[in-house]
Amino acid sequence: MDNSIDLKTILKTVRSSLPGRLRLRLPQLVSIDSDSALLITQWIESHGESIAVSLNPRVGSLLITWDPNRDNLDTKELFSEAAEYLNYATSLGIINEEKKSKENASTYQIENCAKSLAKQAEFLGNGILDRLCPYIAYDIKQKARKRRVTQNRLMLASLLFSVGVLATSQTKSHVLFGGAFLALLTVHLLQHRKVL
């Protein structure tokens, strides 16, 4: 199986290209070590005086900026050299494309599973809260606010009961009310995860 990187492959990685600014997304650079990242950065910057490179190994993003008035950066020549450089780095084991793709696939599956579980837990928690709203937040008229008030009141009550039964040495009740509090807190955090 030929894992060589050609010019056509490199050209597909271009995310944006403007005079003096070029952004690439290269899967081969995901999770690259800092020494290799420094080598790549220095190699690209050696093509002109005004060239600056920013490499983000977390996502495999490479931003190249330069002053078009000072440096005439021939991007096709740079891409051709980059393909050779990446092939050389892969052959030396600096970049392990197969390992990276397996790591990315595994990470992607774990993230998808976690997101799916979080959505299911949030859905289940919201369903329970909606059923309890008429009994706990009976004094609230706004429908959107009822669930939030119900959740807050249940969290406060379960926390108070958990601490209260702990004072009376009822360990089983403490675990029960503490578990209820943690379940409500989990739903709360799932609902507000974007602002955490």
Side-chain angles (χ1 to χ4, degrees), residues 5 29 35 56-57 67 71 98 107 109 140 168 186:
I5 300 159
L29 299 180
D35 290 337
N56 183 346
D67 181 357
D71 288 313
E98 186 177 318
T107 303
Q109 288 174 342
I140 306 299
T168 62
T186 301

Side-chain angles (χ1 to χ4, degrees), residues 28-174:
Q28 295 86 358
L29 299 180
V30 174
S31 303
I32 195 169
D33 64 271
S34 58
D35 290 337
S36 300
L38 182 62
L39 278 172
I40 292 169
T41 301
Q42 289 173 344
W43 174 76
I44 295 172
E45 288 176 345
S46 71
H47 284 76
E49 292 179 19
S50 69
I51 297 174
V53 176
S54 173
L55 193 151
N56 183 346
R58 191 172 59 81
V59 294
S61 175
L62 187 69
L63 175 65
I64 305 169
T65 57
W66 69 95
D67 181 357
N69 297 325
R70 285 181 58 198
D71 288 313
N72 184 17
L73 186 64
D74 184 355
T75 53
K76 287 196 178 190
E77 182 182 327
L78 180 68
F79 289 155
S80 190
E81 288 180 28
E84 289 176 30
Y85 186 82
L86 288 171
N87 285 329
Y88 182 67
T90 303
S91 69
L92 290 177
I94 294 171
I95 298 172
N96 187 343
E97 191 173 340
E98 186 177 318
K99 181 183 172 191
K100 299 293 182 214
S101 63
K102 284 181 181 177
E103 287 173 1
N104 291 342
S106 174
T107 303
Y108 179 74
Q109 288 174 342
I110 291 168
E111 287 174 359
N112 272 352
C113 184
K115 285 178 185 177
S116 175
L117 287 173
K119 282 182 182 180
Q120 289 175 2
E122 185 179 359
F123 180 75
L124 178 65
N126 286 338
I128 293 169
L129 288 173
D130 288 340
R131 288 206 170 105
L132 294 173
C133 281
Y135 307 106
I136 296 174
Y138 54 86
D139 56 330
I140 306 299
K141 302 292 182 213
Q142 297 171 334
K143 187 175 182 179
R145 197 164 167 248
K146 269 188 178 233
R147 184 188 292 164
R148 191 171 61 241
V149 170
T150 300
Q151 184 177 18
N152 290 341
R153 288 178 181 174
L154 283 172
M155 285 175 66
L156 179 61
S158 61
L159 180 62
L160 291 174
F161 279 116
S162 178
V163 172
V165 296
L166 184 62
T168 62
S169 300
Q170 296 180 5
T171 309
K172 289 181 182 177
S173 297
H174 172 68

Side-chain angles (χ1 to χ4, degrees), residues 121 125 151 155 158 176-190:
Q151 184 177 18
M155 285 175 66
S158 61
L176 176 72
F177 287 116
F181 174 75
L182 287 176
L184 289 164
L185 180 63
T186 301
V187 171
H188 175 77
L189 292 174
L190 287 171

